[in-house]
Amino acid sequence: MDADLSSLVKGYAHARGLIGSRIAAAPYGVFVAYPPGAKQVAEHFAVKGRPTPEPLARDVWLTVFDPDRGPAEPPPPGQVLVSSEYFMAVHLPRPEAALSYPVEELTTARALAELEADATYARAPAADGVFHFVVRQAGRIAAAAHYAFGEGGDIVVDRVATHPDFRRRGLGQAVMSGLLAHAHSQGATRALLLSTQAGEKLYTAMGFQTLAAVAVYAV
């Protein structure tokens, strides 16, 4: 779990454009101090059952990975459970399947500005080594996702989103399939991601396996 966690955190920080993050191994897992201007000051990525720093400071999150995939524990006094997620992985290459929709890679600042103009999609970092993909419908961006490399041959997929006007058409699976094929062409051998509970079914259907249940706590 430690190697997987380290790879996830490195790719996560890169995929979100958090250049300058200070990432360090800790007895409980990985500690990250984010650069100025980030949503959080810092984050503890911890394996369940290991002692973690307490109490949390404001704007410092605790993200706990449970390889036994049990339910999230109630938060300690003074903290709230921000989200329950799943840490998932798939080996590449996957069996090839015909794409039902064309997938486009965005490579220019103008194209990324188009993506950022829609509130459906989180701000997309234009950092070197972050690869962006979209599916269009009716001249609009209907689904989007991006990735960055973690450690070794791992990539970390981040912020997969489908516009509400275009859901339940297989667009999320299409943009993911195009992204994973591109990653394999770049030398990737495995894809990692953090999935919401709503997204778990999609990723499982695409061959992802759950490595751990994830609970995120904050003050």
Side-chain angles (χ1 to χ4, degrees):
M1 178 56 65
D2 288 87
D4 292 339
L5 192 55
S6 178
S7 188
L8 172 73
V9 172
K10 179 180 177 180
Y12 168 85
H14 191 173
R16 299 219 164 179
L18 298 170
I19 308 302
S21 295
R22 181 170 60 84
I23 302 173
Y28 51 79
V30 180
F31 171 76
V32 182
Y34 293 115
K39 183 179 180 181
Q40 296 107 253
V41 172
E43 190 163 357
H44 304 280
F45 293 85
V47 178
K48 186 177 180 180
R50 300 180 185 177
T52 54
E54 292 186 11
L56 290 180
R58 185 169 297 279
D59 296 326
V60 176
W61 287 14
L62 171 64
T63 300
V64 179
F65 292 72
D66 179 8
D68 293 330
R69 291 175 282 178
E73 295 183 345
Q79 298 180 24
V80 295
L81 178 65
V82 177
S83 66
S84 296
E85 303 172 348
Y86 298 97
F87 180 25
M88 307 185 77
V90 68
H91 288 281
L92 304 176
R94 296 169 52 252
E96 292 296 331
L99 293 178
S100 51
Y101 301 94
V103 178
E104 173 189 347
E105 182 183 1
L106 300 183
T107 58
T108 68
R110 183 175 180 180
L112 291 176
E114 178 189 3
L115 183 64
E116 293 174 3
D118 193 320
T120 300
Y121 313 108
R123 179 173 177 82
D128 290 342
V130 181
F131 302 90
H132 302 264
F133 300 87
V134 299
V135 172
R136 297 182 187 273
Q137 292 282 281
R140 299 163 56 191
I141 293 177
H146 61 266
Y147 79 83
F149 273 87
E151 296 178 345
D154 291 345
I155 65 159
V156 175
V157 183
D158 190 39
R159 290 174 168 165
V160 182
T162 302
H163 193 282
D165 292 347
F166 301 103
R167 288 178 180 163
R168 293 182 172 82
R169 301 186 189 182
L171 298 176
Q173 183 169 351
V175 76
M176 279 291 295
S177 294
L179 180 156
L180 294 176
H182 180 276
H184 181 247
S185 75
Q186 299 297 306
T189 57
R190 190 174 66 152
L192 308 175
L193 57 77
L194 290 176
S195 171
T196 62
Q197 292 182 338
E200 184 194 20
K201 184 177 180 180
L202 165 65
Y203 302 126
T204 298
M206 296 187 70
F208 280 81
Q209 295 184 329
T210 301
L211 303 181
V214 182
V216 184
Y217 302 94
V219 173

